[in-house]
Amino acid sequence: MLDETVFRSDDVPAPDRFDYWVELLGRSHAPMESRSSYADDFRASQRVLDLGGVTVWSLAFQPLVFRRTPKLIRQSDPETYHLSLVVRGTGAGVWRHRETQYRPDDLLINSSSLPNDVHSIGAPVSTVALEIPKALVPLPRDAARRIIGVPVSAREGMGALLARFLIQLTEDTAAYQPTDGPRLGTVLTDLAAALFAHLLEAGACLPPETRRRTLTLRIQAFIREHLHDPHLTPTAIAAAHHISTSYLHRLFRDEDATVAEWIRRRRLEAARRDLTDPALHATPIQAIAARWGFPRATDFSRAYRAVYGTTPKDHRHQALHSHK
């Protein structure tokens, strides 16, 4: 499991909750002035993942106002970019150069170095946030400043790629070791830098290694979205990303699997989830196999046994029996 710190307001006496959480938020992000109509009995939770310089946090809190003032910036500026994926709730942000609204599935880009007011409206808010030191982002700071406060859609393109990675990471950290933290931080930094470059049309500013890693992540996301497609081949994937098939194979050399092996693993994982889902207990095994790209029952059973050490039928029986 990754190194993480959890805070729940219920663990603090009601009169102290709001001030305690604001101080905690200041340590996680940057010192801020905050106020809330719910301060007398404030409800919030915060989970912080330390990824070796890069920080990811999931937050849930009642409506409030954050203010980062010029005075606070002069007193303390960690010089970070802050990206918030809005999961639930609505609000607005005000900077000297821009005012914007945000809603679920927006990515909001902020900077610890710029004065701002960010407030939520009405209902409680849930977000997943990413904090990256500016020194790690290979973009001119004056250029990046132009996208501060711009809401980015998390439903498509680079915004969706970054959002999916954040959600997947925060939903389940059990599969990772603490030593994976810095590597995950590097991936998130590359994704954020690529998003910035996309918004600024400044892709040439990215180092070749960042562009390569970002392209690999885009291709992997494409594969996951098309696992059901029987025509998902290296040739089709390369064509969809305007690269040669040989370059595609070179990209996957660092993934400890060929492109075809990577596709097969993801298909088996998807089939395994369906086989062990009680809601799908009546769905024939062959129907699940075909759904995930295995039209031949014998091929599916052989591949499944090679990876999981058991047949699909036995695995399903074991898993569904344990749910009873």
Side-chain angles (χ1 to χ4, degrees):
M1 183 175 289
L2 298 172
D3 292 329
E4 61 180 73
T5 304
V6 177
F7 165 77
R8 299 180 183 87
S9 57
D10 288 347
D11 297 334
V12 179
D16 302 328
R17 287 173 183 166
F18 185 69
D19 290 341
Y20 185 92
W21 190 67
V22 169
E23 181 182 347
L24 185 65
L25 203 61
R27 295 199 299 268
S28 303
H29 170 53
M32 291 177 290
E33 294 179 358
S34 299
R35 67 179 187 274
S36 173
S37 301
Y38 301 87
D40 291 342
D41 187 14
F42 193 69
R43 303 286 176 171
S45 63
Q46 176 175 316
R47 182 163 156 254
V48 180
L49 304 179
D50 181 359
L51 304 180
V54 173
T55 306
V56 171
W57 11 315
S58 54
L59 303 170
F61 51 90
Q62 290 178 298
L64 78 165
V65 176
F66 302 109
R67 293 191 68 222
R68 184 92 172 116
T69 66
K71 180 179 179 181
L72 287 173
I73 292 169
R74 288 193 299 270
Q75 291 174 346
S76 175
D77 182 8
E79 296 198 355
T80 58
Y81 291 119
H82 179 84
L83 295 89
S84 291
L85 170 64
V86 183
V87 177
R88 183 182 63 168
T90 58
V94 180
W95 292 260
R96 288 175 179 170
H97 64 297
R98 179 176 289 119
E99 181 172 352
T100 188
Q101 305 289 316
Y102 63 81
R103 61 186 187 279
D105 291 325
D106 278 347
L107 270 167
L108 190 68
I109 303 171
N110 206 344
S111 165
S112 65
S113 306
L114 293 179
N116 61 79
D117 285 40
V118 178
H119 61 274
S120 49
I121 301 170
V125 173
S126 297
T127 68
V128 179
L130 171 63
E131 199 91 17
I132 300 177
K134 292 181 179 180
L136 297 181
V137 179
L139 287 174
R141 294 192 183 187
D142 289 344
R145 186 188 185 100
R146 299 192 334 245
I147 59 174
I148 300 302
V150 172
V152 178
S153 174
R155 300 178 188 88
E156 58 187 10
M158 293 301 303
L161 190 60
L162 175 57
R164 281 196 294 266
F165 196 96
L166 286 170
I167 292 294
Q168 182 182 5
L169 177 61
T170 54
E171 280 183 345
D172 182 15
T173 62
Y176 303 105
Q177 300 295 327
T179 52
D180 293 324
R183 287 188 284 270
L184 292 167
T186 298
V187 172
L188 284 166
T189 299
D190 288 341
L191 287 173
L195 174 63
F196 284 17
H198 170 74
L199 294 172
L200 293 163
E201 297 183 351
C205 296
L206 296 176
E209 181 62 17
T210 296
R211 293 202 298 272
R212 188 192 66 78
R213 282 198 297 256
T214 303
L215 176 58
T216 302
L217 290 167
R218 283 175 52 205
I219 291 170
Q220 290 173 348
F222 177 87
I223 291 172
R224 288 191 178 95
E225 291 171 2
H226 295 82
L227 286 174
H228 61 281
D229 185 351
H231 303 296
L232 184 67
T233 63
T235 301
I237 295 167
H241 292 84
H242 310 291
I243 59 176
S244 67
T245 305
S246 60
Y247 184 58
L248 174 66
H249 288 302
R250 287 202 299 273
L251 289 174
F252 273 74
R253 284 177 184 168
D254 294 336
E255 302 304 315
D256 193 30
T258 65
V259 181
E261 288 169 345
W262 205 91
I263 294 171
R264 186 165 58 252
R265 289 179 187 177
R266 302 294 85 77
R267 282 175 164 165
L268 286 170
E269 288 169 1
R272 183 171 184 259
R273 285 195 301 271
D274 283 359
L275 286 171
T276 56
D277 185 348
L280 300 176
H281 73 279
T283 304
I285 290 176
Q286 183 50 35
I288 290 175
R291 177 188 301 168
W292 295 112
F294 293 96
R296 291 166 53 90
T298 53
D299 291 343
F300 177 61
S301 183
R302 188 182 306 111
Y304 202 93
R305 181 188 286 274
V307 172
Y308 298 115
T310 186
T311 66
K313 181 179 179 180
D314 289 345
H315 194 174
R316 173 183 244 185
H317 178 75
Q318 248 182 353
L320 295 181
H321 183 73
S322 67
H323 283 295
K324 294 180 180 178

